[in-house]
Amino acid sequence: MTPAPRGRALSPLTRPPRLRPGARVAVVAPSGPVPEERLAAGLDVLRGWDLDPVALPHVLDRHPTARYLAGTDEDRARDLQDAWCDPDVDAVISVRGGYGAQRVVDLLDWDALRAAGPKVFVGFSDATALHEAFALRLGLATLHGPMAGAAAFLKDAATQESLRAALLDPGSVRVLGSDAARPLVPGRARGVTAGGCLSLLAAGIGTPDGRTSLRGALLLLEDVGEEPYRIDRMLTQLLRAGLLDGVAGVALGSWEDCGPYEAVREVLRDRLGGLGVPVVEELGFGHGTPALTVPLGVPAVLDADAGTLTPRTPALR
């Protein structure tokens, strides 16, 4: 499927096949480095689901000077491309977030990735840059879900089960929500899911993978370690860029380490309340625990009053 032209309402994207027992899952590090013990623990969880995980050669690397990166840009890009283009690999999962995905996007051979066909991609946080690239360049639906080396994934059973179900039994995932979810702006809306980490969406504006419109989107937003004034600044940037014109609804996830939540809520209410669309807060995805796996690029219904997001089709076919 060809991605929808910019400025028009978003269309559902191509859904990759669901995973079957024994499916090979490649674990890559397009962003920051991961401790070896967390990688090993994540691989063990995936094996427990009767999957066949394999870590790519540079997953445990560190950049020689920029120690916040997992190896050089070229090696991180090579691992991702090799995994995606391997016909024996059914899914690619980021091992952690941090920073660095934007630095590899332009090093990938997108024609080769397109020729390899649709596969499952999982990640969140810094992986938002890759979600956007897969959506705009490949027209591919992806999973906003926990990384294989993330602390929440390794320690929280509900986070693990949400990803396991999305990968292996997607038809069972009918309604997404949390006990804490409640309307910031009441209402109900239909649209196509998109979004992810607010800071990455803002950083993408003006880049080859930066959207110019999210018309018709059910927009997912979350972040970590951003003070309220910085959240204000990034939301204002999206508003001034016209990116939120025509958004159908907004689902807000966690805002871990972003200061007192009451202060964050007031910023969210101030910047998003004027859109005139339903907005639900604390839906249960992002950097918090538990962290739901949410499909990006699929039609869904957002019910802010009920605190739910209901995909109209399974994340994977």
Side-chain angles (χ1 to χ4, degrees):
M1 177 180 290
T2 301
R6 297 183 179 190
R8 299 182 184 178
L10 300 191
S11 297
L13 303 178
T14 298
R15 293 178 297 143
R18 55 163 286 183
L19 300 189
R20 308 284 179 181
R24 174 156 288 191
V25 176
V27 177
V28 299
S31 304
V34 64
E36 185 172 2
E37 63 273 14
R38 283 170 55 175
L39 170 64
L43 295 177
D44 283 344
V45 172
L46 297 174
R47 290 190 191 99
W49 299 348
D50 200 18
L51 297 173
D52 177 23
V54 56
L56 271 287
H58 300 285
V59 167
L60 292 174
D61 285 4
R62 279 184 180 264
H63 193 282
T65 55
R67 305 296 285 174
Y68 47 82
L69 297 172
T72 66
D73 295 347
E74 293 76 13
D75 286 341
R76 301 196 322 279
R78 186 179 303 112
D79 274 2
L80 177 54
Q81 180 150 328
D82 287 349
W84 198 268
C85 294
D86 185 340
D88 292 328
V89 169
D90 302 291
V92 176
I93 299 181
S94 290
V95 73
R96 64 153 292 183
Y99 169 73
Q102 279 194 321
R103 293 177 54 143
V104 307
V105 170
D106 294 327
L107 300 179
L108 297 169
D109 183 340
W110 288 96
D111 289 335
L113 269 62
R114 187 176 298 107
K119 297 184 180 186
V120 179
F121 176 73
V122 183
F124 80 106
S125 193
D126 193 58
T128 296
L130 293 169
H131 286 300
E132 291 290 275
F134 280 122
L136 292 169
R137 299 192 191 220
L138 302 184
L140 183 65
T142 54
L143 293 178
H144 183 284
M147 279 83 71
F153 177 70
L154 299 178
K155 297 178 180 179
D156 185 70
T159 297
Q160 292 179 12
E161 176 55 24
S162 181
L163 178 58
R164 188 206 65 79
L167 292 173
L168 292 160
D169 190 15
S172 70
V173 185
R174 302 186 184 278
V175 180
L176 299 169
S178 76
D179 292 339
R182 57 190 178 274
L184 195 64
V185 178
R188 196 168 185 268
R190 293 175 179 262
V192 174
T193 55
C197 188
L198 171 61
S199 56
L200 269 295
L201 294 173
I205 292 176
T207 70
D209 303 300
R211 296 182 195 257
T212 57
S213 172
L214 283 162
R215 187 171 300 276
L218 294 178
L219 179 61
L220 278 64
L221 293 175
E222 63 87 32
D223 218 315
V224 64
E226 298 288 354
E227 294 184 38
Y229 81 90
R230 295 204 293 258
I231 295 172
D232 184 321
R233 182 183 65 209
M234 291 183 285
L235 289 173
T236 299
Q237 184 179 5
L238 299 188
L239 288 164
R240 295 187 67 217
L243 200 62
L244 303 187
D245 295 350
V247 164
V250 182
L252 301 170
S254 61
W255 303 90
E256 291 288 299
D257 300 323
C258 291
Y261 185 64
E262 286 302 320
V264 174
R265 175 187 283 123
E266 288 310 308
V267 170
L268 298 171
R269 192 194 314 275
D270 176 76
R271 296 288 75 197
L272 300 174
L275 294 175
V277 302
V279 181
V280 65
E281 62 178 334
E282 298 194 75
L283 193 65
F285 63 90
H287 288 80
T289 304
L292 296 173
T293 295
V294 184
L296 299 176
V298 304
V301 177
L302 177 69
D303 189 331
D305 301 280
T308 59
L309 179 70
T310 304
R312 296 170 63 191
T313 60
L316 310 179
R317 56 182 170 82

